[in-house]
Amino acid sequence: SAVISQKPSRDICQRGTSLTIQCQVDSQVTMMFWYRQQPGQSLTLIATANQGSEATYESGFVIDKFPISRPNLTFSTLTVSNMSPEDSSIYLCSVEGGNGANVLTFGAGSRLTVL
Amino acid sequence: GNSVTQMEGPVTLSEEAFLTINCTYTATGYPSLFWYVQYPGEGLQLLLKATKADDKGSNKGFEATYRKETTSFHLEKGSVQVSDSAVYFCALSFNTGNQFYFGTGTSLTVIP
């Protein structure tokens, strides 16, 4: 299955700033997914990133707040803009594949704390 | 709508104890069901899956049976080890599209 590297693994940020999370996959994939894992809550899909087109955002998430880039088939970035304490979460990059279709492989996540 | 409900943790067990983590789901259609595990400092990994009713997924001594009549997919292991300490997530997905629905996760700690 694919190996996913995310960075930063964790960061502490100030309110009002923006942070970009990088996701690198060791193989070419069509779709990359960005999830948020808030404390004590389930994973929530933020958006799906396809190479060469605009990301598709889920209800409750907008491009101005979470801009995504997908410059090639192995890399994507998620920016969390104008952060507030409510954005403190683990952000996870994932791709489909490994152990069969319809299975997600995840990166280790980026734990953001906003003060 | 589609959702997954799993038992709240944290769960603490002694080594070699029997483990059950309950998971029930609500779905419009016939989803595939999954258990993912997240070890400390690592990403979620697929533990096991089942794609249709009465299927049993198994891996590393863990197993779960897809029960359509009770809309459940409970995770069990007969004898847990310290190395099983992790957070376990139940999830469902449909083969069309890529939308996964996750439970809130259950933290398991196994003590020697």
Side-chain angles (χ1 to χ4, degrees):
Chain A
S1 59
V3 176
I4 301 174
S5 301
Q6 263 187 257
K7 59 180 180 181
S9 58
R10 60 179 62 233
D11 207 339
I12 299 174
C13 308
Q14 296 299 316
R15 182 194 300 260
T17 63
S18 298
L19 182 79
T20 296
I21 302 167
Q22 299 180 6
C23 178
Q24 179 75 51
V25 188
D26 70 345
S27 58
Q28 294 184 339
V29 293
T30 304
M31 288 186 286
M32 297 176 74
F33 307 96
W34 287 99
Y35 281 83
R36 181 172 71 182
Q37 183 182 3
Q38 292 181 301
Q41 299 188 27
S42 63
L43 280 72
T44 303
L45 180 64
I46 297 171
T48 301
N50 294 318
Q51 194 271 334
S53 64
E54 291 285 331
T56 302
Y57 289 84
E58 298 300 309
S59 176
F61 298 96
V62 295
I63 187 171
D64 289 347
K65 177 66 175 178
F66 297 101
I68 288 171
S69 78
R70 183 79 202 276
N72 57 53
L73 291 172
T74 64
F75 187 78
S76 178
T77 68
L78 170 76
T79 299
V80 185
S81 303
N82 188 26
M83 287 186 285
S84 66
E86 292 71 35
D87 295 319
S88 297
S89 290
I90 300 173
Y91 293 85
L92 295 154
C93 172
S94 70
V95 303
E96 189 178 20
N99 298 292
N102 197 34
V103 170
L104 292 181
T105 299
F106 287 86
S110 300
R111 182 184 294 271
L112 301 188
T113 301
V114 184
L115 303 178
Chain B
N2 303 304
S3 65
V4 174
T5 302
Q6 60 182 105
M7 65 183 285
E8 293 188 18
V11 174
T12 302
L13 295 174
S14 297
E15 205 165 23
E16 300 183 2
F18 184 86
L19 168 72
T20 300
I21 300 178
N22 290 336
C23 171
T24 58
Y25 68 90
T26 302
T28 53
Y30 302 98
S32 295
L33 301 175
F34 306 82
W35 277 100
Y36 280 83
V37 58
Q38 185 177 31
Y39 298 104
E42 300 183 18
L44 279 76
Q45 305 172 22
L46 178 68
L47 179 60
L48 54 84
K49 68 175 184 177
T51 58
K52 61 183 187 296
D54 300 326
D55 268 3
K56 177 184 286 188
S58 61
N59 185 27
K60 300 181 180 180
F62 291 90
E63 59 182 35
T65 301
Y66 190 142
R67 300 289 189 196
K68 183 181 174 184
E69 63 277 11
T70 55
T71 62
S72 65
F73 193 56
H74 304 321
L75 182 68
E76 297 182 336
K77 186 173 185 181
S79 176
V80 294
Q81 305 301 311
V82 173
S83 57
D84 293 326
S85 298
V87 180
Y88 293 82
F89 292 88
C90 185
L92 70 82
S93 178
F94 296 93
N95 291 328
T96 56
N98 297 289
Q99 178 67 285
F100 278 72
Y101 300 85
F102 287 87
T104 54
T106 301
S107 175
L108 170 67
T109 300
V110 180
I111 55 177

